Amino acid sequence: MTKLAKYIKAKRKEFGLTQVDLSQKSGVGLRFVREMEQGKETLRLDKVNQVLALFGAEMTPVKLSEV
């Protein structure tokens, strides 16, 4: 499981949301939410950021030395 997948799943549970709730509130499909939480390696960044925005976060470039 990727860091992103763990983060999304943890935040969703922290906010008491189901995958269906998260997909509806963020405006992405349920399949996308499921794939994201399963750690799919290729995801559309704009959709990832739509989901992350619900939690006050976004994907940004980070130096590999900081990972």
Side-chain angles (χ1 to χ4, degrees):
M1 187 178 285
T2 64
K3 288 182 183 182
L4 176 63
K6 289 178 186 177
Y7 179 84
I8 294 293
K9 191 170 189 176
K11 283 297 194 181
R12 177 177 62 77
K13 289 184 176 191
E14 178 184 325
F15 281 74
L17 300 171
T18 65
Q19 288 182 334
V20 172
D21 295 334
L22 182 58
S23 72
Q24 290 173 344
K25 289 182 182 294
S26 64
V28 301
L30 177 58
R31 179 178 174 179
F32 182 82
V33 170
R34 288 182 175 154
E35 289 175 345
M36 188 168 42
E37 286 193 3
Q38 291 170 355
K40 182 177 178 187
E41 292 185 19
T42 55
L43 296 168
R44 284 187 44 186
L45 186 56
D46 59 330
K47 287 187 174 189
V48 170
N49 278 330
Q50 270 183 256
V51 175
L52 289 173
L54 290 176
F55 308 123
E58 68 178 5
M59 294 289 288
T60 59
V62 177
K63 288 185 181 181
L64 290 178
S65 61
E66 297 175 15
V67 176

